[in-house]
Amino acid sequence: MASQDSGAGLVTVVPGAPFDLSAIDPDADGGLDKGAAKLALAAQRDRIRTLQERLYAERSRSLLVVFQAIDTGGKDGTIRAVFEGVNPQGCEVTSFKVPSQAERDHDFLWRYHARTPARGIVGVFNRSHYEDVLAVRVKNLVPEAVWRPRYGLINDFERMLTEEGTTILKFFLHISKAEQKERLEARIAEPKKHWKFDPADLVERQAWDVYQEAFTEALGRCSTPHAPWHVVPANRKWFRNLVVARTIAETIEAMDPRFPKAASGIAGMTVPD
Amino acid sequence: MASQDSGAGLVTVVPGAPFDLSAIDPDADGGLDKGAAKLALAAQRDRIRTLQERLYAERSRSLLVVFQAIDTGGKDGTIRAVFEGVNPQGCEVTSFKVPSQAERDHDFLWRYHARTPARGIVGVFNRSHYEDVLAVRVKNLVPEAVWRPRYGLINDFERMLTEEGTTILKFFLHISKAEQKERLEARIAEPKKHWKFDPADLVERQAWDVYQEAFTEALGRCSTPHAPWHVVPANRKWFRNLVVARTIAETIEAMDPRFPKAASGIAGMTVPD
């Protein structure tokens, strides 16, 4: 299988090689237990908070974190678990819903481009431009002649972003069909969760295999050297959260953001009364 | 003085009455000590997190929190202290800087309106449309014939927002001139803080009195029944953070957001394998 375990459970899709999503175990837990993982998550969150402050102060580069998953895959929960505690002044989350008429009147990348993070900012996409080769494909919203070229257009767009100073992290939260069943049942059983449940989710579930196929192709074709896809085993929420948090922390650490140099002439200035 | 102490240090500007900013003590601490205030802040942050989740789920109303202050007044620090810990998916912070050419080519409210919070969202403005009757006035960027009518235009704009479902909270962080001196000196003395220091701040400081006059008029004219101004004694950061956090928590609690009612017909649904 042309993907590599980049340590403790995260699977990075190898650019340019055939890719088999079904070979990745959504139950993987890296041999950790829940208690240890929760402690480790708290440490990673602190690390992210500190690093993000440096990124914000440096104000020359940005980080874009993309989350994709099937319904109930855990996008909302991951974002909360990983980013609660980060200064929201430096962190922008955009949840992409059904596009408006004005958005549909533009090219498919238009609404995503408008929400990419400014220098110094961590941008989080809850769903993303990948919807246009995922849901849009599965639901036949546009013909194949339209969506197929988008893999290349997405790669070009992401290369442009990275060359202009945005590091891109793409996470696919990978759950099993049985796990989705449990999560949907939990939403049905608990009236307080009904607002998160849409009966249309059951129709979507019937398209499970078609979605897996669409995910496989999108991850395979759009895992590039500048913006690889990472598959996160996501049946266990505590493991998923830790893997995502650690990868984000390591990525910002590798970017090595620095507080701007002191401008000359400031030291020694006096402030009048 | 036509302002009322709405409890434990926060001073609310009475709509329609004369207002005297200089009569408010920036050193006030509500008789609290720092340790107790920090513990109380943690409790208020938890409260905000829980309430914000309900606001987000309800998705029918929004909250806009506006921060204004003189340079070094503590806008950034307050936002971090109060909102770290809130799910950033439901919280959008916008820091308004010098307007772009495109922004200046529109009416003054255009760029702020574009960033008002959607239903379910807590929007935070770090600086706001008030800059257009504050810095813009003090620096003579437009003639009085242009900025003076803006008080009324701002009141109309805010009334429209509130009538359409946005609750507005406006905080003026009130520090003394001596406190600003200390904070500027701290930035000069500490190379790690130089990136936050702009020598132009010293020029701005010379206009202290003119700024106080502009603040006084803006707060007096734009404290309305639908969107009153709150003055926060802000020389003591720990007191300022607590006052702001508690007021936000109380405001969302009074909005009483509810999880959406369960749609009929969901209970008892089964999920196929």
Side-chain angles (χ1 to χ4, degrees):
Chain A
M1 183 187 62
S3 53
Q4 65 198 16
D5 190 325
S6 30
L10 187 76
V11 178
T12 300
V13 181
V14 176
F19 169 65
D20 180 8
L21 179 59
S22 68
I24 300 173
D25 179 11
D27 263 327
D29 62 7
L32 289 172
D33 67 60
K34 192 171 174 175
K38 289 205 161 185
L39 282 176
L41 174 63
Q44 295 300 337
R45 280 166 51 141
D46 282 346
R47 204 174 153 205
I48 292 172
R49 185 170 52 234
T50 306
L51 287 162
Q52 186 262 339
E53 207 181 335
R54 277 163 48 190
L55 189 72
Y56 185 79
E58 184 193 71
R59 210 171 164 174
S60 71
R61 293 169 297 165
S62 56
L63 175 66
L64 173 61
V65 185
V66 169
F67 289 101
Q68 287 289 161
I70 205 156
D71 288 336
T72 76
K75 299 182 295 297
D76 291 338
T78 306
I79 291 168
R80 177 193 289 127
V82 172
F83 292 102
E84 260 182 17
V86 167
N87 184 352
Q89 181 152 314
C91 180
E92 283 177 5
V93 183
T94 308
S95 299
F96 292 99
K97 318 275 184 187
V98 174
S100 69
Q101 185 61 50
E103 288 170 339
R104 275 180 284 142
D105 286 343
H106 289 83
D107 66 88
F108 80 105
L109 290 171
W110 184 74
R111 66 178 187 144
Y112 306 104
H113 202 165
R115 299 296 298 166
T116 51
R119 300 181 203 287
I121 301 291
V122 176
V124 180
F125 280 6
N126 184 340
R127 302 187 187 273
S128 69
H129 43 295
Y130 284 94
E131 288 298 323
D132 295 88
V133 291
L134 294 171
V136 166
R137 166 185 175 165
V138 171
K139 295 178 181 180
N140 286 308
L141 298 183
V142 301
E144 178 164 359
V146 173
W147 60 254
R148 184 152 294 283
R150 287 180 176 170
Y151 298 120
L153 300 173
I154 287 173
N155 290 343
D156 291 346
F157 173 60
E158 293 181 353
R159 196 181 56 243
M160 180 278 289
L161 291 178
T162 56
E163 288 187 5
E164 287 283 316
T166 299
T167 297
I168 303 176
L169 264 178
K170 301 183 295 193
F171 293 109
F172 177 72
L173 309 179
H174 183 45
I175 62 167
S176 63
K177 196 174 181 187
E179 178 69 19
Q180 188 190 52
K181 181 176 157 93
E182 272 184 40
R183 294 185 185 184
L184 287 171
E185 284 173 344
R187 290 184 184 179
I188 290 169
E190 176 55 70
K192 277 205 164 175
K193 289 186 174 176
H194 280 190
W195 68 277
K196 292 187 90 177
F197 180 80
D198 179 351
D201 292 350
L202 297 180
V203 181
E204 287 282 271
R205 178 169 164 82
Q206 291 171 0
W208 179 274
D209 292 340
V210 194
Y211 266 108
Q212 297 302 311
E213 203 178 308
F215 289 136
T216 300
E217 189 160 4
L219 271 59
R221 290 193 184 276
C222 299
S223 199
T224 54
H226 52 276
W229 266 105
H230 304 288
V231 181
V232 181
N235 274 4
R236 293 165 211 266
K237 295 173 184 174
W238 49 267
F239 181 65
R240 167 200 82 194
N241 294 343
L242 175 60
V243 167
V244 169
R246 192 180 47 219
T247 307
I248 291 171
E250 283 167 359
T251 300
I252 310 181
E253 197 161 82
M255 291 168 77
D256 193 19
R258 309 283 181 102
F259 284 101
K261 283 214 175 67
S264 61
I266 288 182
M269 277 188 172
T270 56
V271 183
D273 283 330
Chain B
M1 184 187 63
S3 55
Q4 64 198 14
D5 190 324
S6 31
L10 187 73
V11 178
T12 301
V13 181
V14 176
F19 169 65
D20 180 9
L21 180 58
S22 69
I24 299 173
D25 179 10
D27 262 328
D29 63 7
L32 289 171
D33 67 59
K34 192 170 174 177
K38 289 206 161 184
L39 282 176
L41 174 63
Q44 296 299 338
R45 280 165 52 141
D46 283 346
R47 205 173 153 205
I48 292 173
R49 186 171 51 235
T50 306
L51 287 162
Q52 186 263 340
E53 206 180 335
R54 278 164 48 191
L55 189 73
Y56 186 78
E58 183 192 72
R59 210 172 164 172
S60 72
R61 292 170 295 166
S62 55
L63 175 67
L64 173 60
V65 185
V66 169
F67 289 101
Q68 288 289 162
I70 205 156
D71 288 337
T72 76
K75 299 182 296 297
D76 292 338
T78 306
I79 291 169
R80 176 193 289 129
V82 172
F83 292 103
E84 261 183 15
V86 166
N87 184 352
Q89 181 151 312
C91 181
E92 283 177 5
V93 182
T94 308
S95 299
F96 292 99
K97 318 273 185 189
V98 174
S100 68
Q101 185 61 50
E103 289 170 339
R104 276 180 284 143
D105 284 344
H106 290 82
D107 66 89
F108 81 104
L109 290 171
W110 185 73
R111 67 178 187 144
Y112 307 103
H113 202 165
R115 300 294 299 166
T116 52
R119 300 182 201 288
I121 302 292
V122 176
V124 179
F125 280 6
N126 185 341
R127 303 187 187 270
S128 69
H129 42 296
Y130 284 93
E131 288 299 324
D132 295 88
V133 290
L134 294 170
V136 166
R137 166 185 174 165
V138 171
K139 296 178 180 178
N140 287 309
L141 299 183
V142 300
E144 177 165 359
V146 173
W147 61 253
R148 184 152 294 282
R150 289 181 175 170
Y151 298 119
L153 300 173
I154 287 174
N155 290 342
D156 291 346
F157 173 59
E158 293 182 353
R159 196 180 59 243
M160 182 278 290
L161 291 177
T162 56
E163 288 187 4
E164 288 282 316
T166 300
T167 298
I168 302 175
L169 265 179
K170 301 184 294 195
F171 293 108
F172 178 71
L173 308 179
H174 184 43
I175 61 167
S176 63
K177 196 173 181 188
E179 177 70 20
Q180 188 191 52
K181 181 177 157 93
E182 272 185 40
R183 293 185 185 183
L184 287 171
E185 285 173 343
R187 289 184 186 179
I188 290 167
E190 175 55 71
K192 276 206 164 175
K193 289 185 175 179
H194 280 190
W195 67 278
K196 293 186 91 180
F197 179 79
D198 180 350
D201 292 351
L202 296 181
V203 181
E204 287 283 272
R205 178 169 165 81
Q206 292 172 359
W208 178 274
D209 292 340
V210 195
Y211 266 108
Q212 298 301 310
E213 203 179 308
F215 290 137
T216 300
E217 188 160 5
L219 270 58
R221 290 193 185 274
C222 298
S223 198
T224 54
H226 52 275
W229 266 105
H230 303 289
V231 181
V232 182
N235 274 4
R236 295 165 209 266
K237 295 174 183 173
W238 49 268
F239 181 65
R240 167 200 81 193
N241 294 341
L242 174 60
V243 167
V244 169
R246 193 180 47 220
T247 307
I248 291 171
E250 282 168 0
T251 300
I252 310 181
E253 197 161 82
M255 290 169 77
D256 193 19
R258 308 284 182 101
F259 285 102
K261 282 216 176 66
S264 62
I266 289 181
M269 275 187 172
T270 56
V271 182
D273 282 332

